[in-house]
Amino acid sequence: PDRNDDPQSTERFKEISAAYEQLLAADDPDILDSETANNEPSPSEPEQEIAKAADIRLNLDISLEEGAAGCRKAIHYTRGKPCATCDGSGEAGMLRTRFCDACHGSGRVHDAQRNLVRCTACGGRGLFSERICPDCGGSGRDADDISLEITIPPGMLPGDELRLAGQGEPGDEVRQAGDLFLTLTLRSHPLYQLRGRDLHFQMPVSALAMIAGAEIQLPALAGPFGYPLEAGAAETRLLRIDGKGYPGRGRNPAGDMFIELNPVFPQNINARQRKLLLQAHAALLENVAEVMPEILAWQKEHRLA
């Protein structure tokens, strides 16, 4: 019909095809029997459960601060939708017939003993009749761009999943819509290292602040806060502050904060700062036996005190 301008060609071809199938059935009654059996539902078969369309899984990349506090994010992805041309059936346009590639339209092939037997590829018909939709290639599906705005609750960790019911591949009369699963990933942070729910980082601190026991400002995901240092030696220290790490979620409590403090000694001081440091030094020498006993012992050993 697709090569003949005669308006009766389509109907004529249908009659020829039907007559040919009847000849095949007469030659092999099993064809009709099997077709009839396939078209009649068995009363003993149990009802099938409703199927579900495919789920969609995506990664969702957010910052450490967004994961800690929770946030709203816009996501964009592609899923299927019924083809508008064929309404999801995969069939549209004029019926086209093609010869079977296995038997070249004869309906018969040679077996291993060179005997002619019915072609299993086409069931002995020698041809296939099909109406493949030109827009979807017979799949019945087209691409659909989706945009959603979702809420990410606070305290989610890398690898945690969000499930959005019904936002996967669309369903139809016999299938429920699939779900959308978003797996959380956290971008690397310039300061913090996340280990479980604990936060680790390093921080330079004035050696004088460590010696005097001054209050320093510590960073945190919820904002900076003051922390009083214990007076002591100007050397590397490790602080642990309970509950100041990554926020908790559900039954999981908040993590802790671990800070490595590294002393930094003054450099390139001006005249005023030099004068103040000399005054502090003189004041320390007044009580050198208590504040700097190593210096007093050395001086005595070498008869300087």
Side-chain angles (χ1 to χ4, degrees), residues 129-260:
S129 297
E130 54 195 13
R131 296 172 61 243
I132 298 177
C133 175
D135 291 337
C136 67
S139 68
R141 284 287 184 266
D142 198 359
D144 192 15
D145 294 328
I146 304 298
S147 295
L148 296 175
E149 187 170 348
I150 64 170
T151 299
I152 303 174
M156 292 189 69
L157 289 173
D160 288 349
E161 279 190 339
L162 285 174
R163 174 177 171 266
L164 280 71
Q167 295 297 332
E169 293 295 343
D172 49 33
E173 293 82 0
V174 296
R175 297 185 303 170
Q176 295 178 348
D179 300 332
L180 174 63
F181 290 89
L182 299 174
T183 302
L184 192 70
T185 61
L186 295 181
R187 293 191 290 271
S188 60
H189 197 275
L191 175 63
Y192 303 112
Q193 289 185 353
L194 183 64
R195 303 175 188 173
R197 292 188 181 271
D198 296 331
L199 291 177
H200 295 249
F201 65 94
Q202 296 179 344
M203 177 180 173
V205 178
S206 167
L208 298 179
M210 300 178 80
I211 293 171
E215 181 174 293
I216 61 174
Q217 288 291 307
L218 294 177
L221 291 175
F225 63 98
Y227 182 84
L229 291 175
E230 292 185 5
E235 59 187 12
T236 299
R237 300 182 191 177
L238 181 63
L239 298 181
R240 175 175 180 173
I241 304 178
D242 296 340
K244 284 292 186 179
Y246 198 75
R249 177 169 170 78
R251 297 181 179 179
N252 299 310
D256 300 332
M257 180 181 288
F258 293 84
I259 312 107
E260 181 181 295

Side-chain angles (χ1 to χ4, degrees), residues 2 4 16 27 39 45 62 66 102 125 127 139 166 168 184 199-200 203 215 234 240 243 245 248 284 302-303:
D2 56 340
N4 195 323
I16 294 173
D27 184 54
N39 291 332
E45 291 181 357
I62 62 175
E66 289 174 328
R125 291 178 175 83
L127 50 85
S139 68
L184 192 70
L199 291 177
H200 295 249
M203 177 180 173
E215 181 174 293
R240 175 175 180 173
L284 292 173
H302 297 282
R303 299 179 182 178

Side-chain angles (χ1 to χ4, degrees), residues 1-9:
D2 56 340
R3 301 183 183 180
N4 195 323
D5 295 334
D6 189 340
Q8 301 297 324
S9 61

Side-chain angles (χ1 to χ4, degrees), residues 11 15 20 27 38 45 60 70 153 169 238 243 268-269 276 287:
E11 293 300 324
E15 293 175 359
Y20 183 63
D27 184 54
N38 290 335
E45 291 181 357
L60 181 61
E169 293 295 343
L238 181 63
N268 303 320
I269 59 178
L276 291 173
N287 195 20

Side-chain angles (χ1 to χ4, degrees), residues 16-26 31-32 35 125 127 129:
I16 294 173
S17 299
Y20 183 63
E21 291 187 2
Q22 288 180 359
L23 289 174
L24 290 175
I31 295 178
L32 283 179
E35 290 179 350
R125 291 178 175 83
L127 50 85
S129 297

